[in-house]
PDB file of all heavy atoms in Angstrom:
ATOM      1  N   PRO V   1      19.465  77.838   0.734  1.00 89.00           N
ATOM      2  CA  PRO V   1      20.092  77.664  -0.560  1.00 89.00           C
ATOM      3  C   PRO V   1      20.931  79.049  -0.907  1.00 89.00           C
ATOM      4  O   PRO V   1      21.949  79.004  -1.530  1.00 89.00           O
ATOM      5  CB  PRO V   1      19.052  77.500  -1.450  1.00 89.00           C
ATOM      6  CG  PRO V   1      17.961  76.841  -0.695  1.00 89.00           C
ATOM      7  CD  PRO V   1      17.972  77.372   0.674  1.00 89.00           C
ATOM      8  N   ALA V   2      20.354  80.107  -0.545  1.00 89.00           N
ATOM      9  CA  ALA V   2      21.058  81.479  -0.732  1.00 89.00           C
ATOM     10  C   ALA V   2      22.363  81.580  -0.092  1.00 89.00           C
ATOM     11  O   ALA V   2      23.270  82.144  -0.476  1.00 89.00           O
ATOM     12  CB  ALA V   2      20.128  82.643  -0.488  1.00 89.00           C
ATOM     13  N   GLN V   3      22.435  81.008   1.147  1.00 89.00           N
ATOM     14  CA  GLN V   3      23.668  81.069   1.971  1.00 89.00           C
ATOM     15  C   GLN V   3      24.763  80.168   1.419  1.00 89.00           C
ATOM     16  O   GLN V   3      25.922  80.387   1.708  1.00 89.00           O
ATOM     17  CB  GLN V   3      23.392  80.728   3.354  1.00 89.00           C
ATOM     18  CG  GLN V   3      22.577  81.690   4.268  1.00 89.00           C
ATOM     19  CD  GLN V   3      22.228  81.245   5.546  1.00 89.00           C
ATOM     20  OE1 GLN V   3      21.864  80.188   5.831  1.00 89.00           O
ATOM     21  NE2 GLN V   3      22.262  82.185   6.459  1.00 89.00           N
ATOM     22  N   ALA V   4      24.426  79.096   0.652  1.00 91.00           N
ATOM     23  CA  ALA V   4      25.387  78.181   0.081  1.00 91.00           C
ATOM     24  C   ALA V   4      25.746  78.551  -1.382  1.00 91.00           C
ATOM     25  O   ALA V   4      26.479  77.721  -1.920  1.00 91.00           O
ATOM     26  CB  ALA V   4      24.740  76.762   0.267  1.00 91.00           C
ATOM     27  N   GLN V   5      25.105  79.619  -1.896  1.00 91.00           N
ATOM     28  CA  GLN V   5      25.378  79.842  -3.297  1.00 91.00           C
ATOM     29  C   GLN V   5      26.258  81.210  -3.342  1.00 91.00           C
ATOM     30  O   GLN V   5      25.941  82.145  -2.530  1.00 91.00           O
ATOM     31  CB  GLN V   5      24.158  79.917  -4.148  1.00 91.00           C
ATOM     32  CG  GLN V   5      23.316  78.763  -4.120  1.00 91.00           C
ATOM     33  CD  GLN V   5      23.804  77.842  -5.139  1.00 91.00           C
ATOM     34  OE1 GLN V   5      24.535  78.197  -6.160  1.00 91.00           O
ATOM     35  NE2 GLN V   5      23.488  76.497  -5.046  1.00 91.00           N
ATOM     36  N   ASN V   6      27.096  81.353  -4.375  1.00 90.00           N
ATOM     37  CA  ASN V   6      27.766  82.576  -4.593  1.00 90.00           C
ATOM     38  C   ASN V   6      28.426  83.141  -3.407  1.00 90.00           C
ATOM     39  O   ASN V   6      28.108  84.220  -2.881  1.00 90.00           O
ATOM     40  CB  ASN V   6      26.817  83.589  -5.193  1.00 90.00           C
ATOM     41  CG  ASN V   6      27.429  84.760  -5.674  1.00 90.00           C
ATOM     42  OD1 ASN V   6      28.655  84.618  -6.320  1.00 90.00           O
ATOM     43  ND2 ASN V   6      26.738  85.893  -5.735  1.00 90.00           N
ATOM     44  N   VAL V   7      29.220  82.335  -2.715  1.00 90.00           N
ATOM     45  CA  VAL V   7      29.844  82.687  -1.391  1.00 90.00           C
ATOM     46  C   VAL V   7      31.234  83.287  -1.619  1.00 90.00           C
ATOM     47  O   VAL V   7      31.949  82.634  -2.321  1.00 90.00           O
ATOM     48  CB  VAL V   7      29.914  81.432  -0.563  1.00 90.00           C
ATOM     49  CG1 VAL V   7      30.655  81.738   0.783  1.00 90.00           C
ATOM     50  CG2 VAL V   7      28.692  80.794  -0.288  1.00 90.00           C
ATOM     51  N   ARG V   8      31.524  84.439  -1.026  1.00 88.00           N
ATOM     52  CA  ARG V   8      32.608  85.115  -1.224  1.00 88.00           C
ATOM     53  C   ARG V   8      33.895  84.344  -0.646  1.00 88.00           C
ATOM     54  O   ARG V   8      33.823  83.907   0.472  1.00 88.00           O
ATOM     55  CB  ARG V   8      32.656  86.520  -0.604  1.00 88.00           C
ATOM     56  CG  ARG V   8      33.875  87.337  -0.932  1.00 88.00           C
ATOM     57  CD  ARG V   8      33.557  88.782  -0.629  1.00 88.00           C
ATOM     58  NE  ARG V   8      33.546  89.040   0.846  1.00 88.00           N
ATOM     59  CZ  ARG V   8      34.630  89.206   1.660  1.00 88.00           C
ATOM     60  NH1 ARG V   8      35.799  89.320   1.075  1.00 88.00           N
ATOM     61  NH2 ARG V   8      34.459  89.419   2.992  1.00 88.00           N
ATOM     62  N   LEU V   9      34.981  84.173  -1.276  1.00 88.00           N
ATOM     63  CA  LEU V   9      36.205  83.544  -0.907  1.00 88.00           C
ATOM     64  C   LEU V   9      36.919  84.512   0.053  1.00 88.00           C
ATOM     65  O   LEU V   9      37.050  85.757  -0.116  1.00 88.00           O
ATOM     66  CB  LEU V   9      37.033  83.124  -2.035  1.00 88.00           C
ATOM     67  CG  LEU V   9      38.256  82.270  -1.718  1.00 88.00           C
ATOM     68  CD1 LEU V   9      38.526  81.464  -2.992  1.00 88.00           C
ATOM     69  CD2 LEU V   9      39.477  83.176  -1.582  1.00 88.00           C
ATOM     70  N   ARG V  10      37.406  83.923   1.174  1.00 87.00           N
ATOM     71  CA  ARG V  10      38.205  84.645   2.055  1.00 87.00           C
ATOM     72  C   ARG V  10      39.216  83.754   2.823  1.00 87.00           C
ATOM     73  O   ARG V  10      39.043  82.712   2.897  1.00 87.00           O
ATOM     74  CB  ARG V  10      37.308  85.198   3.222  1.00 87.00           C
ATOM     75  CG  ARG V  10      38.041  86.115   4.217  1.00 87.00           C
ATOM     76  CD  ARG V  10      36.892  86.780   5.123  1.00 87.00           C
ATOM     77  NE  ARG V  10      36.328  85.847   5.935  1.00 87.00           N
ATOM     78  CZ  ARG V  10      36.831  85.274   7.126  1.00 87.00           C
ATOM     79  NH1 ARG V  10      37.920  85.752   7.612  1.00 87.00           N
ATOM     80  NH2 ARG V  10      36.156  84.421   7.848  1.00 87.00           N
ATOM     81  N   ILE V  11      40.470  84.337   2.972  1.00 87.00           N
ATOM     82  CA  ILE V  11      41.591  83.618   3.641  1.00 87.00           C
ATOM     83  C   ILE V  11      41.166  83.598   5.108  1.00 87.00           C
ATOM     84  O   ILE V  11      40.899  84.467   5.701  1.00 87.00           O
ATOM     85  CB  ILE V  11      42.969  84.348   3.299  1.00 87.00           C
ATOM     86  CG1 ILE V  11      43.129  84.466   1.855  1.00 87.00           C
ATOM     87  CG2 ILE V  11      44.020  83.565   4.004  1.00 87.00           C
ATOM     88  CD1 ILE V  11      43.124  83.180   1.049  1.00 87.00           C
ATOM     89  N   VAL V  12      41.430  82.344   5.575  1.00 88.00           N
ATOM     90  CA  VAL V  12      41.052  82.160   7.045  1.00 88.00           C
ATOM     91  C   VAL V  12      42.265  82.019   7.766  1.00 88.00           C
ATOM     92  O   VAL V  12      43.199  81.231   7.462  1.00 88.00           O
ATOM     93  CB  VAL V  12      40.166  80.832   7.026  1.00 88.00           C
ATOM     94  CG1 VAL V  12      40.014  80.446   8.528  1.00 88.00           C
ATOM     95  CG2 VAL V  12      39.012  80.845   6.292  1.00 88.00           C
ATOM     96  N   GLY V  13      42.342  82.677   8.934  1.00 83.00           N
ATOM     97  CA  GLY V  13      43.534  82.708   9.751  1.00 83.00           C
ATOM     98  C   GLY V  13      43.477  81.495  10.754  1.00 83.00           C
ATOM     99  O   GLY V  13      42.371  80.775  10.811  1.00 83.00           O
ATOM    100  N   GLU V  14      44.455  81.274  11.613  1.00 80.00           N
ATOM    101  CA  GLU V  14      44.481  80.189  12.539  1.00 80.00           C
ATOM    102  C   GLU V  14      43.624  80.619  13.764  1.00 80.00           C
ATOM    103  O   GLU V  14      43.623  81.854  14.273  1.00 80.00           O
ATOM    104  CB  GLU V  14      45.854  79.820  12.924  1.00 80.00           C
ATOM    105  CG  GLU V  14      46.696  79.388  11.886  1.00 80.00           C
ATOM    106  CD  GLU V  14      48.109  78.877  12.306  1.00 80.00           C
ATOM    107  OE1 GLU V  14      48.341  79.027  13.474  1.00 80.00           O
ATOM    108  OE2 GLU V  14      48.853  78.447  11.418  1.00 80.00           O
ATOM    109  N   ARG V  15      42.847  79.705  14.151  1.00 80.00           N
ATOM    110  CA  ARG V  15      42.087  79.866  15.600  1.00 80.00           C
ATOM    111  C   ARG V  15      41.098  80.963  15.399  1.00 80.00           C
ATOM    112  O   ARG V  15      40.938  81.821  16.357  1.00 80.00           O
ATOM    113  CB  ARG V  15      42.999  79.970  16.624  1.00 80.00           C
ATOM    114  CG  ARG V  15      43.814  78.716  16.889  1.00 80.00           C
ATOM    115  CD  ARG V  15      44.708  78.824  18.210  1.00 80.00           C
ATOM    116  NE  ARG V  15      45.483  77.737  18.350  1.00 80.00           N
ATOM    117  CZ  ARG V  15      45.044  76.572  19.045  1.00 80.00           C
ATOM    118  NH1 ARG V  15      43.837  76.492  19.374  1.00 80.00           N
ATOM    119  NH2 ARG V  15      45.964  75.613  19.187  1.00 80.00           N
ATOM    120  N   GLU V  16      40.494  81.232  14.193  1.00 84.00           N
ATOM    121  CA  GLU V  16      39.459  82.228  14.094  1.00 84.00           C
ATOM    122  C   GLU V  16      38.193  81.795  14.866  1.00 84.00           C
ATOM    123  O   GLU V  16      37.824  80.626  14.788  1.00 84.00           O
ATOM    124  CB  GLU V  16      39.144  82.502  12.665  1.00 84.00           C
ATOM    125  CG  GLU V  16      40.233  83.407  11.968  1.00 84.00           C
ATOM    126  CD  GLU V  16      39.644  83.916  10.600  1.00 84.00           C
ATOM    127  OE1 GLU V  16      38.458  83.747  10.307  1.00 84.00           O
ATOM    128  OE2 GLU V  16      40.401  84.711   9.944  1.00 84.00           O
ATOM    129  N   PRO V  17      37.554  82.784  15.546  1.00 84.00           N
ATOM    130  CA  PRO V  17      36.306  82.365  16.247  1.00 84.00           C
ATOM    131  C   PRO V  17      35.222  82.034  15.291  1.00 84.00           C
ATOM    132  O   PRO V  17      35.080  82.395  14.131  1.00 84.00           O
ATOM    133  CB  PRO V  17      36.018  83.587  16.887  1.00 84.00           C
ATOM    134  CG  PRO V  17      36.617  84.663  16.110  1.00 84.00           C
ATOM    135  CD  PRO V  17      37.930  84.220  15.598  1.00 84.00           C
ATOM    136  N   ILE V  18      34.326  81.015  15.814  1.00 84.00           N
ATOM    137  CA  ILE V  18      33.250  80.676  15.116  1.00 84.00           C
ATOM    138  C   ILE V  18      32.033  81.678  15.112  1.00 84.00           C
ATOM    139  O   ILE V  18      31.605  81.999  16.148  1.00 84.00           O
ATOM    140  CB  ILE V  18      32.772  79.229  15.445  1.00 84.00           C
ATOM    141  CG1 ILE V  18      33.903  78.183  15.311  1.00 84.00           C
ATOM    142  CG2 ILE V  18      31.439  78.891  14.723  1.00 84.00           C
ATOM    143  CD1 ILE V  18      33.419  76.773  15.923  1.00 84.00           C
ATOM    144  N   VAL V  19      31.567  82.172  13.986  1.00 80.00           N
ATOM    145  CA  VAL V  19      30.519  83.118  14.008  1.00 80.00           C
ATOM    146  C   VAL V  19      29.464  82.455  13.045  1.00 80.00           C
ATOM    147  O   VAL V  19      29.472  82.558  11.889  1.00 80.00           O
ATOM    148  CB  VAL V  19      31.089  84.416  13.238  1.00 80.00           C
ATOM    149  CG1 VAL V  19      30.019  85.441  13.261  1.00 80.00           C
ATOM    150  CG2 VAL V  19      32.325  84.930  13.954  1.00 80.00           C
ATOM    151  N   PRO V  20      28.486  82.016  13.674  1.00 74.00           N
ATOM    152  CA  PRO V  20      27.333  81.310  13.099  1.00 74.00           C
ATOM    153  C   PRO V  20      26.612  82.400  12.190  1.00 74.00           C
ATOM    154  O   PRO V  20      26.410  83.601  12.615  1.00 74.00           O
ATOM    155  CB  PRO V  20      26.321  80.820  14.169  1.00 74.00           C
ATOM    156  CG  PRO V  20      27.303  80.674  15.301  1.00 74.00           C
ATOM    157  CD  PRO V  20      28.333  81.693  15.243  1.00 74.00           C
ATOM    158  N   GLY V  21      26.230  82.094  11.034  1.00 71.00           N
ATOM    159  CA  GLY V  21      25.516  83.024  10.198  1.00 71.00           C
ATOM    160  C   GLY V  21      26.335  84.086   9.461  1.00 71.00           C
ATOM    161  O   GLY V  21      25.865  85.013   8.970  1.00 71.00           O
ATOM    162  N   ASP V  22      27.731  83.845   9.601  1.00 74.00           N
ATOM    163  CA  ASP V  22      28.506  84.772   8.815  1.00 74.00           C
ATOM    164  C   ASP V  22      28.246  84.744   7.344  1.00 74.00           C
ATOM    165  O   ASP V  22      28.226  83.656   6.722  1.00 74.00           O
ATOM    166  CB  ASP V  22      30.029  84.380   9.035  1.00 74.00           C
ATOM    167  CG  ASP V  22      30.977  85.370   8.535  1.00 74.00           C
ATOM    168  OD1 ASP V  22      30.498  86.361   7.798  1.00 74.00           O
ATOM    169  OD2 ASP V  22      32.121  85.258   8.927  1.00 74.00           O
ATOM    170  N   PRO V  23      28.061  85.959   6.676  1.00 74.00           N
ATOM    171  CA  PRO V  23      27.673  85.827   5.215  1.00 74.00           C
ATOM    172  C   PRO V  23      28.857  85.392   4.516  1.00 74.00           C
ATOM    173  O   PRO V  23      28.770  85.024   3.203  1.00 74.00           O
ATOM    174  CB  PRO V  23      27.427  87.321   4.957  1.00 74.00           C
ATOM    175  CG  PRO V  23      28.057  88.134   6.118  1.00 74.00           C
ATOM    176  CD  PRO V  23      27.949  87.215   7.261  1.00 74.00           C
ATOM    177  N   ASN V  24      30.165  85.453   4.973  1.00 72.00           N
ATOM    178  CA  ASN V  24      31.230  84.858   4.151  1.00 72.00           C
ATOM    179  C   ASN V  24      31.577  83.580   4.602  1.00 72.00           C
ATOM    180  O   ASN V  24      31.372  83.135   5.799  1.00 72.00           O
ATOM    181  CB  ASN V  24      32.447  85.894   4.423  1.00 72.00           C
ATOM    182  CG  ASN V  24      32.093  87.330   3.987  1.00 72.00           C
ATOM    183  OD1 ASN V  24      31.415  87.570   2.984  1.00 72.00           O
ATOM    184  ND2 ASN V  24      32.492  88.281   4.772  1.00 72.00           N
ATOM    185  N   ALA V  25      32.346  82.835   3.768  1.00 71.00           N
ATOM    186  CA  ALA V  25      32.843  81.422   4.125  1.00 71.00           C
ATOM    187  C   ALA V  25      33.919  81.599   5.146  1.00 71.00           C
ATOM    188  O   ALA V  25      35.087  82.243   4.825  1.00 71.00           O
ATOM    189  CB  ALA V  25      33.287  80.769   2.896  1.00 71.00           C
ATOM    190  N   ASN V  26      33.803  81.232   6.388  1.00 84.00           N
ATOM    191  CA  ASN V  26      34.822  81.490   7.391  1.00 84.00           C
ATOM    192  C   ASN V  26      35.304  80.080   7.952  1.00 84.00           C
ATOM    193  O   ASN V  26      35.824  80.248   9.032  1.00 84.00           O
ATOM    194  CB  ASN V  26      34.153  82.323   8.457  1.00 84.00           C
ATOM    195  CG  ASN V  26      33.127  81.496   9.262  1.00 84.00           C
ATOM    196  OD1 ASN V  26      32.478  80.755   8.656  1.00 84.00           O
ATOM    197  ND2 ASN V  26      32.783  81.836  10.612  1.00 84.00           N
ATOM    198  N   ALA V  27      35.030  79.009   7.326  1.00 90.00           N
ATOM    199  CA  ALA V  27      35.640  77.834   7.675  1.00 90.00           C
ATOM    200  C   ALA V  27      36.648  77.176   6.592  1.00 90.00           C
ATOM    201  O   ALA V  27      36.417  77.512   5.501  1.00 90.00           O
ATOM    202  CB  ALA V  27      34.495  76.859   8.086  1.00 90.00           C
ATOM    203  N   ASP V  28      37.517  76.383   7.072  1.00 90.00           N
ATOM    204  CA  ASP V  28      38.484  75.841   6.230  1.00 90.00           C
ATOM    205  C   ASP V  28      38.751  74.337   6.511  1.00 90.00           C
ATOM    206  O   ASP V  28      39.673  73.890   7.235  1.00 90.00           O
ATOM    207  CB  ASP V  28      39.887  76.587   6.336  1.00 90.00           C
ATOM    208  CG  ASP V  28      40.907  75.972   5.442  1.00 90.00           C
ATOM    209  OD1 ASP V  28      40.596  75.415   4.391  1.00 90.00           O
ATOM    210  OD2 ASP V  28      42.118  76.104   5.669  1.00 90.00           O
ATOM    211  N   PRO V  29      37.705  73.503   6.161  1.00 89.00           N
ATOM    212  CA  PRO V  29      37.785  72.084   6.534  1.00 89.00           C
ATOM    213  C   PRO V  29      38.950  71.291   5.858  1.00 89.00           C
ATOM    214  O   PRO V  29      39.425  70.290   6.432  1.00 89.00           O
ATOM    215  CB  PRO V  29      36.377  71.526   6.079  1.00 89.00           C
ATOM    216  CG  PRO V  29      35.920  72.471   4.981  1.00 89.00           C
ATOM    217  CD  PRO V  29      36.435  73.814   5.292  1.00 89.00           C
ATOM    218  N   ASP V  30      39.404  71.798   4.691  1.00 85.00           N
ATOM    219  CA  ASP V  30      40.460  70.942   4.044  1.00 85.00           C
ATOM    220  C   ASP V  30      41.876  71.441   4.402  1.00 85.00           C
ATOM    221  O   ASP V  30      42.969  70.965   3.993  1.00 85.00           O
ATOM    222  CB  ASP V  30      40.346  70.967   2.454  1.00 85.00           C
ATOM    223  CG  ASP V  30      40.067  72.368   1.873  1.00 85.00           C
ATOM    224  OD1 ASP V  30      40.261  73.315   2.667  1.00 85.00           O
ATOM    225  OD2 ASP V  30      39.879  72.366   0.858  1.00 85.00           O
ATOM    226  N   GLY V  31      41.977  72.559   5.278  1.00 84.00           N
ATOM    227  CA  GLY V  31      43.161  72.938   5.764  1.00 84.00           C
ATOM    228  C   GLY V  31      44.163  73.674   4.933  1.00 84.00           C
ATOM    229  O   GLY V  31      45.433  73.720   5.075  1.00 84.00           O
ATOM    230  N   ASP V  32      43.603  74.376   3.741  1.00 83.00           N
ATOM    231  CA  ASP V  32      44.587  74.977   2.735  1.00 83.00           C
ATOM    232  C   ASP V  32      44.643  76.558   2.955  1.00 83.00           C
ATOM    233  O   ASP V  32      45.269  77.157   2.170  1.00 83.00           O
ATOM    234  CB  ASP V  32      44.101  74.630   1.336  1.00 83.00           C
ATOM    235  CG  ASP V  32      42.733  75.115   1.016  1.00 83.00           C
ATOM    236  OD1 ASP V  32      42.082  75.492   2.042  1.00 83.00           O
ATOM    237  OD2 ASP V  32      42.253  74.962  -0.056  1.00 83.00           O
ATOM    238  N   GLY V  33      43.948  76.938   4.036  1.00 87.00           N
ATOM    239  CA  GLY V  33      43.956  78.288   4.382  1.00 87.00           C
ATOM    240  C   GLY V  33      42.864  79.093   3.617  1.00 87.00           C
ATOM    241  O   GLY V  33      42.732  80.355   3.896  1.00 87.00           O
ATOM    242  N   VAL V  34      42.112  78.549   2.812  1.00 88.00           N
ATOM    243  CA  VAL V  34      41.118  79.229   2.035  1.00 88.00           C
ATOM    244  C   VAL V  34      39.671  78.888   2.587  1.00 88.00           C
ATOM    245  O   VAL V  34      39.370  77.803   2.722  1.00 88.00           O
ATOM    246  CB  VAL V  34      41.183  78.812   0.595  1.00 88.00           C
ATOM    247  CG1 VAL V  34      39.998  79.604  -0.256  1.00 88.00           C
ATOM    248  CG2 VAL V  34      42.494  79.269  -0.047  1.00 88.00           C
TER     249      VAL V  34
END
């Protein structure tokens, strides 16, 4: 629950590597770059 709450917004670049356990939101499932 702590990892899914109060998550810092970050702009995601193209083809960024997957980093499991990253404290920041590093995925963009809706494709808007955020």
Side-chain angles (χ1 to χ4, degrees):
Q3 290 176 319
Q5 299 279 339
N6 196 28
V7 179
R8 187 169 68 90
L9 184 150
R10 186 172 64 87
I11 302 301
V12 178
E14 295 184 0
R15 300 184 180 276
E16 284 197 1
I18 298 176
V19 182
D22 189 350
N24 303 319
N26 65 331
D28 179 26
D30 51 8
D32 59 359
V34 178

